[in-house]
Amino acid sequence: MPTEVLKLADPLITKHKLKDIRMTDTDETYSWSTSTHILLVEDNQINQLVASSILNNMKLDADIAANGLEALSNLQEAPEDLPYTLILMDCQMPEMDGYEATQRIRAGKAGSRYINIPIIAMTANAMQVDKEKCISTGMTDYISKPVDGRTLLETLKNYLSFEVTPTETIISSPATTPSIERKCTEAVSNQEHIVWDLEALLVRVYQNKALLETILKTFIKDKADNINQLKHAYNAKNFPQVRMIAHTVKGVSGQLCGDDLRAVAEKIEKYASNPDTITKPLDMTDLVFSFEQKMQALANEFETYLSSQSLTENDSTSTQENQLNIDELEQKLAELSAKIKLSEYVPPDSLTVLQQYHEADTELHAQLNTLVEQINLFDNDSASATLMTIQQIIMARKGS
């Protein structure tokens, strides 16, 4: 039986200890406790980006661990005065999956202070048996992937300290419009497979085009590896590996509203989970071939979109007034350095101004673009090194 988990909502929390947030599609204002400290355990970069964006829209930040082992390390190393208060836990991960990590946390392997911490499973499998496994291994609750902002908010409200006050003004936004949000996730059951639903994905990322471009580029970068790894695992009859790859791609393509690819990946995962029941091996071979085709088709859609955005940006000329001068650039970089050291979330759209810095200075412009990419991929160690390089270039520019 899982350990009983203590809910943290406390109506006695005073207002000066809370951070205000007004959700964009509700007439209520939420204030989260400043002691809120969330750990997001997720191995896929695209899922990390989308989940972090959704949390950021709620004015919540999260530290990120790529697997169960990293999660245990994060928990153990958290400051005594700022322990984690909630974990969002992916179930299928390399090194150590979410189930084993949860069992170790409940056994006190991360420290006695975390034995009762709320652990919210994030699973791309919505079958009853998967939900039961989450609870039986000690997880507190679960949400399905693709992660929906409204569902996540309602779940977090059950386990985090907050206050809520009504407001007369309702700020409308398409960010959680049910008809659009469902369109991306219900297409499979309705047999309305499409290669890519751009509108639905923009909804999911709250119209954040900088974030959208980052996750599309990440998908394109990983495309060849995913195809080659799946084909290699299938040819070697390594069905556990086939299942893991298909499961990951199913979750990612669902998150990106790429329904054609998601449907194929789901079928491959199902077959690979029970290889002894495959009576027609040709069916599986056809699916692997279809997987490659669907992944390429989705990548083509992404590349077409990115090319159109690049042309649009080139058509709009940047004026000198919209660009940072070198002193303003230094100030911006100092602010970023502080955030990176604290592992704070940096919204992708706040970095656009760096990418627009004087393109004539090719060396500095290239380093700034590298920095933006590293920050958007949560590669803080590389971002810190790039920041040092940029600071050295700036010092040389100012000294000359």
Side-chain angles (χ1 to χ4, degrees):
M1 294 293 291
T3 306
E4 181 181 0
V5 178
L6 302 178
K7 291 190 178 181
L8 305 180
D10 184 356
L12 299 180
I13 298 290
T14 56
K15 286 186 176 180
H16 72 277
K17 293 184 178 179
L18 302 169
K19 296 185 288 188
D20 289 336
I21 164 181
R22 177 176 297 174
M23 295 300 293
T24 56
D25 63 337
T26 182
D27 58 348
E28 295 178 334
T29 300
Y30 294 92
S31 299
W32 305 105
S33 168
T34 53
S35 65
T36 300
H37 195 189
I38 297 174
L39 179 62
L40 171 63
V41 190
E42 167 64 62
D43 66 307
N44 184 270
Q45 288 183 333
I46 291 175
N47 291 335
Q48 291 172 359
L49 286 164
V50 175
S52 295
S53 174
I54 292 173
L55 289 170
N56 186 251
N57 189 67
M58 301 176 192
K59 296 298 183 288
L60 288 169
D61 297 320
D63 295 337
I64 295 174
N67 56 55
L69 287 175
E70 288 189 16
L72 292 172
S73 177
N74 278 51
L75 293 168
Q76 293 164 352
E77 296 174 4
E80 288 295 327
D81 59 346
L82 189 59
Y84 288 100
T85 51
L86 182 138
I87 302 172
L88 293 170
M89 182 78 78
D90 185 28
C91 294
Q92 306 289 339
M93 293 178 290
E95 303 295 334
M96 181 188 291
D97 64 25
Y99 301 118
E100 183 177 351
T102 296
Q103 290 174 325
R104 293 196 183 193
I105 292 168
R106 296 300 184 220
K109 300 299 183 181
S112 59
R113 58 181 173 168
Y114 294 119
I115 290 176
N116 294 319
I117 189 172
I119 302 176
I120 312 301
M122 299 185 300
T123 175
N125 294 330
M127 302 296 289
Q128 186 61 34
V129 64
D130 299 299
K131 297 175 181 178
E132 291 173 355
K133 184 176 182 180
C134 290
I135 300 303
S136 66
T137 55
M139 295 175 177
T140 317
D141 209 335
Y142 53 82
I143 57 176
S144 297
K145 291 181 178 178
V147 177
D148 167 64
R150 173 53 57 187
T151 301
L152 179 58
L153 172 64
E154 292 304 316
T155 302
L156 293 179
K157 284 164 58 179
N158 290 327
Y159 305 104
L160 295 177
S161 301
F162 70 95
E163 285 187 350
V164 58
T165 55
T167 178
E168 295 180 0
T169 303
I170 300 178
I171 306 175
S172 61
S173 166
T176 51
T177 303
S179 59
I180 299 178
E181 188 65 44
R182 284 198 300 265
K183 179 167 60 176
C184 181
T185 56
E186 292 184 349
V188 173
S189 61
N190 294 332
Q191 300 300 312
E192 297 173 355
H193 301 319
I194 58 173
V195 177
W196 183 38
D197 190 334
L198 170 60
E199 180 186 18
L201 182 53
L202 279 168
V203 166
R204 181 159 289 154
V205 298
Y206 301 95
Q207 310 298 322
N208 187 332
K209 290 191 175 182
L211 172 63
L212 176 65
E213 291 187 17
T214 297
I215 60 180
L216 298 189
K217 289 176 182 177
T218 301
F219 178 91
I220 294 168
K221 174 176 65 71
D222 294 341
K223 177 199 66 179
D225 282 346
N226 282 321
I227 292 173
N228 292 335
Q229 288 172 13
L230 182 77
K231 291 167 70 174
H232 178 77
Y234 175 63
N235 290 333
K237 303 305 178 188
N238 185 348
F239 289 106
Q241 183 67 9
V242 170
R243 186 195 62 79
M244 175 65 77
I245 296 168
H247 176 85
T248 298
V249 172
K250 180 186 75 172
V252 168
S253 54
Q255 199 75 267
L256 297 182
C257 299
D259 187 60
D260 265 3
L261 177 58
R262 184 189 186 283
V264 171
E266 186 171 38
K267 289 179 180 178
I268 293 175
E269 180 188 21
K270 182 179 179 180
Y271 272 124
S273 298
N274 300 283
D276 293 338
T277 65
I278 300 175
T279 57
K280 298 179 180 179
L282 185 60
D283 291 345
M284 185 66 165
T285 302
D286 287 344
L287 281 174
V288 172
F289 177 70
S290 180
F291 177 91
E292 181 175 6
Q293 286 188 313
K294 302 297 185 184
M295 180 160 276
Q296 184 62 59
L298 186 56
N300 289 344
E301 290 281 331
F302 293 169
E303 288 170 345
T304 299
Y305 170 80
L306 292 170
S307 295
S308 69
Q309 293 301 111
S310 178
L311 288 172
T312 301
E313 290 172 4
N314 290 338
D315 287 342
S316 57
T317 56
S318 299
T319 62
Q320 186 72 22
E321 291 74 23
N322 291 332
Q323 293 185 349
L324 300 174
N325 60 43
I326 198 161
D327 291 328
E328 291 170 335
L329 176 61
E330 280 190 296
Q331 177 61 34
K332 178 71 174 179
L333 294 174
E335 294 170 358
L336 281 176
S337 179
K339 286 180 176 291
I340 290 170
K341 288 178 181 178
L342 295 173
S343 295
E344 292 185 2
Y345 176 72
V346 180
D349 54 358
S350 71
L351 301 172
T352 304
V353 67
L354 297 182
Q355 295 173 302
Q356 295 174 343
Y357 187 79
H358 304 285
E359 295 187 17
D361 191 337
T362 55
E363 181 185 18
L364 188 53
H365 185 70
Q367 289 292 338
L368 287 169
N369 275 282
T370 298
L371 175 65
V372 170
E373 181 178 358
Q374 290 166 341
I375 293 174
N376 285 338
L377 294 176
F378 305 105
D379 189 355
N380 287 348
D381 290 339
S382 297
S384 295
T386 302
L387 268 171
M388 291 180 62
T389 300
I390 292 172
Q391 289 165 349
Q392 291 170 356
I393 294 173
I394 291 175
M395 289 176 62
R397 296 286 188 276
K398 297 182 75 171
S400 59

